Amino acid sequence: MENLNGTVLISVILVGVVVALFRNFKQRVGKQNAQAPPAKKKKEEYDIVCMYGSQTGTAEGFAKILSNEAESFGLKSKVVDLEDFDQENFLDSSEKHPYYVFLMATYGEGDPTDNAVQFMNFVTDEDNSTDSDLEHVKYSVYGLGNKQYTHFNATAKKLDKSLKKRGAQRSCEIGTGDDDEDIESDFRDWKTNFWKTVAADLGVSVDISQVKQKKPGSHLKLVVHENETEANIPRDFNPNPSTNAFDAVHPFECQVLVNRELFVSDRSCRHIELTMHDDVYYETGDHLGVLPENPPALVQAIAKRLSLNTSTVVSIESLDSSISASKLPFQGKLTIGDVLGRCPDLTCTVSPQVLSSLALFATDPKQEQELNMLSSKEGQEQYSKLIGYPMLTIVEVMFRFKSVEMNLVEFLASVPRLQVRYYSICSSHMLHPRSIHICVAVVEYEKPDKRRHEGVCSKFLQKTSPSIDKLRAFVRKSSFHPPSSLLSPMLLIGPGTGIAPFIGFVQDRMCHIKNGSEIGRCDLYFGCRYKEREFLYFDELSYAATTQAITNFHTAFSRDSGEKIYVQHLLKRNSKEVWDLLKSGGYVYVCGLVAMSKDVIAVLQEIIKEEGKMSEDKANEMWEQLKNDGRFKTDVWT
């Protein structure tokens, strides 16, 4: 009995040991499995990647054209917003890289577009790069600029220089498109040369005439919400989750508080005050981005042409997993009326590129042929005569070419997006921390055939009613801020609506005076056509001049006398006091039209040379130093 019990005991012990060992083995295997990294998803490889930095959508459109042509030549291609640029992958020389094409617009006075700022910071960062860290990169650059600006195509040129400095290899001559002339024709000529140059690198034969264009909108799906109405649609205005800031895709909603006329003339200029979102702050000199809406009459007209019910609630989905929601024509649910009001630009002149897209949807062969002809290089003269010169809009073109049949997503994918309009903020964050003010010159003129053109955003703002209407907007940070030292002298030059940011500057100074702070000298130059009818903010500026918020106030009225006097003439007349301000460390700010800024710059350079008794070289050296020190700033437009 004793032996049997011992045998049983030993058996139990052995079983226990085996079970324990098995459990331990399972735990170790489970732990190893849990710690093992997931299998890497195979990265999709492309032959060519078209990256764009775009402010108005033109560079994005050109990127899509190149990508479509690449696909026609048997190349795998994709389009990338530089906001989504993958820095780590770009630097990885062990990876197989595609051929990169950069379509780069220049914004303002030589700045990159909003979506390309981080990318340009990376490319131009000399402290964290070498002269060979991009030797594996092959690329081409096409720039989009405007020769009216001093720094024509500066972003594209700076990108090319930085890439070459880091060892990257450019195959094709850099393109420099000019929006002041015919940027589409410039692009067409450049890409013909581009394909001839890089075809051998990419191992393809190229025949532009054989390019088959994809129908726009094929990657989108419209979802109709049958049982929903506008009243059911949630109105959420949240910041961009990745940046926690409001932007063009994630605007905030603001109430119109004041909308008053500033002119007593044949023109209109509005002073508009808006509420601020609780989480939004601005600095004096920043810009307000306003998301405009198309005129209701045009919305109804295009809805009728497309056989759409404006009260139907819809949303949109991408059939392409590589396209994020923020790149869709709109987000969330909207009525078709709101979609047509907010998304397509219904007022701009139709481009050859849009005509080319419309041809794909023409059911009448004759109209298809005409649309293709008007969008071709050979049809440039006819396009100018029939579309460009009379400035036909998409609504007018759609009613002219009645055989064009397209659904909503195809229409949205074929025409340019309605772009944000930026306005210099004309209030001080110190005086008006919870409201934001803008000064809006209403654009309105006759087209060559006497039809009226109305600026889509300025007319939209003009018609808003205080305490009733709301609009969508966001604050865009700028570098056009007053000097950090209150004692620094300032020379402010702002004719017309160029006075807007300086209203904020002056309000800042009045707050400092009220607080007992010592402030430096401030000379302000303002100009307009008529003193009695178009003198913007006369009361505010006249009062500020009595408080020393403005030290010297100079005004030019170009139509009040036989002699046309502009701000640059006053600067020349006061050259001694201008030179005194410059040599004492003064800051110069110029706001207004590009043409005016060029004249002002020429006069300032002349003053430096003559009053400073300098040679041409020395005067240029001082001017460059002024800019490098951040003491010369512009906020200009065409």
Side-chain angles (χ1 to χ4, degrees), residues 5 184 242 265 286 430 514 562 597:
N5 288 339
E184 293 218 10
S242 61
S265 73
D286 283 343
M430 296 176 67
K514 188 177 179 181
S597 72

Side-chain angles (χ1 to χ4, degrees), residues 253-271:
E253 189 176 56
C254 42
Q255 177 82 54
V256 178
L257 298 172
V258 173
N259 183 353
R260 62 183 172 90
E261 181 60 57
L262 296 172
F263 280 174
V264 188
S265 73
D266 57 337
R267 299 180 182 180
S268 175
C269 187
R270 314 295 297 189
H271 172 80

Side-chain angles (χ1 to χ4, degrees), residues 120-137:
M120 288 301 294
N121 288 341
F122 154 72
V123 172
T124 57
D125 183 2
E126 295 185 2
D127 294 333
N128 295 296
S129 62
T130 70
D131 58 6
S132 61
D133 64 348
L134 293 179
E135 280 184 342
H136 54 281
V137 170

Side-chain angles (χ1 to χ4, degrees), residues 483 582 585-589 621-633:
L582 291 177
Y587 284 68
V588 182
Y589 296 83
E621 190 179 313
M622 180 176 175
W623 179 254
E624 289 303 315
Q625 192 62 50
L626 193 75
K627 293 193 290 184
N628 293 337
D629 291 345
R631 288 172 49 214
F632 177 75
K633 299 188 178 185

Side-chain angles (χ1 to χ4, degrees), residues 238-355:
N238 298 312
N240 186 328
S242 61
T243 62
N244 200 34
F246 291 97
D247 55 34
V249 179
H250 308 85
F252 58 82
E253 189 176 56
C254 42
Q255 177 82 54
V256 178
L257 298 172
V258 173
N259 183 353
R260 62 183 172 90
E261 181 60 57
L262 296 172
F263 280 174
V264 188
S265 73
D266 57 337
R267 299 180 182 180
S268 175
C269 187
R270 314 295 297 189
H271 172 80
I272 296 174
E273 299 182 11
L274 306 160
T275 58
M276 291 281 288
H277 188 281
D278 289 343
D279 297 327
V280 174
Y281 301 91
Y282 71 95
E283 290 182 79
T284 301
D286 283 343
H287 299 132
L288 185 72
V290 176
L291 280 70
E293 297 184 16
N294 287 307
L298 290 184
V299 170
Q300 291 300 324
I302 198 63
K304 181 180 179 181
R305 171 64 180 80
L306 296 172
S307 302
L308 297 170
N309 183 342
T310 55
S311 62
T312 301
V313 176
V314 295
S315 60
I316 201 165
E317 295 176 359
S318 174
L319 301 175
D320 183 344
S321 59
S322 67
I323 298 175
S324 65
S326 64
K327 301 296 184 292
L328 296 175
F330 64 94
Q331 286 74 45
K333 297 175 185 176
L334 288 176
T335 64
I336 286 178
D338 279 342
V339 171
L340 292 173
R342 298 176 181 182
C343 300
D345 192 333
L346 302 181
T347 64
C348 67
T349 301
V350 173
S351 68
Q353 183 183 330
V354 172
L355 295 176

Side-chain angles (χ1 to χ4, degrees), residues 97 288 301 365 381 386 403 447 536 544 595 626:
H97 281 262
L288 185 72
E381 191 175 327
L386 299 175
S403 80
K447 296 182 181 184
L536 296 172
L626 193 75

